[in-house]
Amino acid sequence: MANGTHTELYVSEQVVVLCTCALSFLGSSLIIVTYAVWSDLRTTPRKLLVYLSVTDWLSAVSYAFGVWRSFRADSLDCVVQGAVSTFANTSSFFWTVAIAVYLYVFIVRSSQRSADSLVLVFHLVSWGVPLIITVTAVGLNKIGYDASEVSVGWCWVKIQAKDHILWMLLTGKIWEFLAYLTLPVLYILIKRHIHKAHAALSEYRPILANRPQANSFSSMADVKLTLIPIIFIVLRIWSTVRFVLLLADSRVRHSPVLVTLHGIGNTSQGAANCIMFVLFTQPIRTRLCAALCCSCCCCCSKCRAEEQHGSPQEPPPQLDSSAQRDEDASSRAQADR
């Protein structure tokens, strides 16, 4: 699998990762489009989700380009792709944690005003810090060909740089570790607060028991709060494992299974967010189904109209007989003359 310091990629690995990139591209685009189309869904948490989807969209595009090119040496497009993916990936970590912090302040601290006041801080940190890190790394010539040692075909930190471990930490890994620690803690605190609130309203349960729809919404929200940190960790852990194996100088990091899991995990965040916050959100799912049905009906109606318009129509019989009578009369008049 390894050729010197270069991890060879199989075509099957590239195809799988390109497919997950495409799914993340579509998923992130769907989140952005639904937010733009339906104004009543433009809540602050969903707005933060849109910002996260923008970073996932950029990640999917840059990773797809890197996997497709499968770089073998430093080049201008390698540096550009590495810079874009570094910025987008790091920003994605910050926005993921920012959403958890917002929900914690909004739900646990019961202060929407305080939560909304944090949005500006989220912008400054989630866009500013990754931008500063990426510009600095590019300026110091640290971004480039990494021989797929901790990537899957795309460019990141130059593997030949003497301080490449430090820059791998600064351009992603340290923020990834912090997200591993922060997300579970915040979502556990949110879940505990919600469960305590439900227990405090236990005397109203006989009334609420007759409202299965409300119970299903509450159950789905509880499932999402559980899945968000779990999915993040499950997707990202493979890149962390390969980074640790790089530190240990273990050749296991070249394993085709581990490389494939790394590629799928790093490129699937947009698709996972779409599944949780679009396909598993009933109001949005209902609207999407209605929009698809409407589009299909309109398409069928248009096709029928085009078929009727395009088919040759015979003139009405009365018009044919009238024209024939006029022609016969004209012939008799000419014969009389």
Side-chain angles (χ1 to χ4, degrees), residues 16-26 59-61 63-64 67 267:
V16 170
V17 177
L18 284 173
C19 289
T20 57
C21 286
L23 291 175
S24 277
F25 174 86
L26 294 174
S59 294
V61 172
Y63 284 147
V67 174
T267 58

Side-chain angles (χ1 to χ4, degrees), residues 43-325:
T43 60
T44 303
R46 189 155 287 273
K47 184 186 296 184
L48 299 179
L49 178 63
V50 168
Y51 298 140
L52 173 60
S53 299
V54 171
T55 64
D56 291 334
W57 190 93
L58 285 174
S59 294
V61 172
S62 60
Y63 284 147
F65 179 75
V67 174
W68 173 69
R69 287 278 282 107
S70 189
F71 293 102
R72 299 283 182 148
D74 278 325
S75 59
L76 178 60
D77 54 348
C78 171
V79 174
V80 172
Q81 180 272 309
V84 173
S85 62
T86 298
F87 169 77
N89 199 41
T90 307
S91 184
S92 177
F93 295 148
F94 281 99
W95 279 116
T96 302
V97 175
I99 293 173
V101 172
Y102 180 92
L103 293 176
Y104 173 81
V105 175
F106 182 79
I107 296 173
V108 178
R109 299 300 179 183
S110 302
S111 177
Q112 181 177 358
R113 184 174 182 179
S114 298
D116 290 341
S117 67
L118 292 173
V119 174
L120 179 59
V121 178
F122 293 155
H123 279 288
L124 293 175
V125 174
S126 300
W127 298 124
V129 174
L131 183 62
I132 292 172
I133 292 173
T134 303
V135 170
T136 304
V138 173
L140 294 176
N141 197 29
K142 302 298 181 181
I143 301 296
Y145 176 65
D146 75 337
S148 294
E149 289 293 276
V150 197
S151 68
V152 187
W154 56 78
C155 291
W156 187 26
V157 175
K158 285 185 177 181
I159 198 66
Q160 298 300 330
K162 294 181 179 180
D163 53 353
H164 63 275
I165 298 297
L166 172 63
W167 281 100
M168 285 180 178
L169 289 170
L170 290 175
T171 57
K173 291 306 169 186
I174 190 170
W175 315 114
E176 194 173 58
F177 292 143
L178 290 175
Y180 289 155
L181 298 175
T182 306
L183 291 176
V185 171
L186 289 174
Y187 282 110
I188 288 172
L189 292 174
I190 294 171
K191 282 171 62 68
R192 285 185 60 189
H193 177 81
I194 292 175
H195 289 167
K196 287 181 179 179
H198 286 173
L201 295 174
S202 58
E203 65 269 23
Y204 296 106
R205 284 179 180 171
I207 300 174
L208 297 176
N210 295 325
R211 301 180 62 184
Q213 187 177 14
N215 291 335
S216 65
F217 286 160
S218 176
S219 176
M220 180 55 70
D222 190 60
V223 170
K224 286 182 181 179
L225 289 175
T226 304
L227 288 178
I228 288 171
I230 292 176
I231 290 177
F232 178 85
I233 293 173
V234 168
L235 291 179
R236 295 288 182 173
I237 195 64
W238 309 109
S239 65
T240 304
V241 169
R242 288 193 73 202
F243 177 71
V244 173
L245 292 174
L246 174 67
L247 296 180
D249 196 23
S250 172
R251 296 182 65 84
V252 178
R253 69 182 183 274
H254 303 304
S255 166
V257 174
L258 189 56
V259 171
T260 303
L261 290 173
H262 178 189
I264 293 173
N266 267 41
T267 58
S268 296
Q269 192 66 51
N273 289 337
C274 179
I275 291 172
M276 281 195 297
F277 299 111
V278 175
L279 302 183
F280 282 1
T281 301
Q282 186 172 349
I284 301 180
R285 187 172 66 245
T286 302
R287 295 188 186 194
L288 284 175
C289 291
L292 289 174
C293 291
C294 183
S295 299
C296 291
C297 291
C298 290
C299 182
C300 292
S301 300
K302 184 178 180 181
C303 289
R304 283 195 224 100
E306 288 178 352
E307 288 177 0
Q308 293 175 358
H309 180 73
S311 60
Q313 298 185 4
E314 297 180 359
Q318 63 271 21
L319 292 181
D320 284 348
S321 59
S322 175
Q324 185 66 35
R325 286 195 301 269

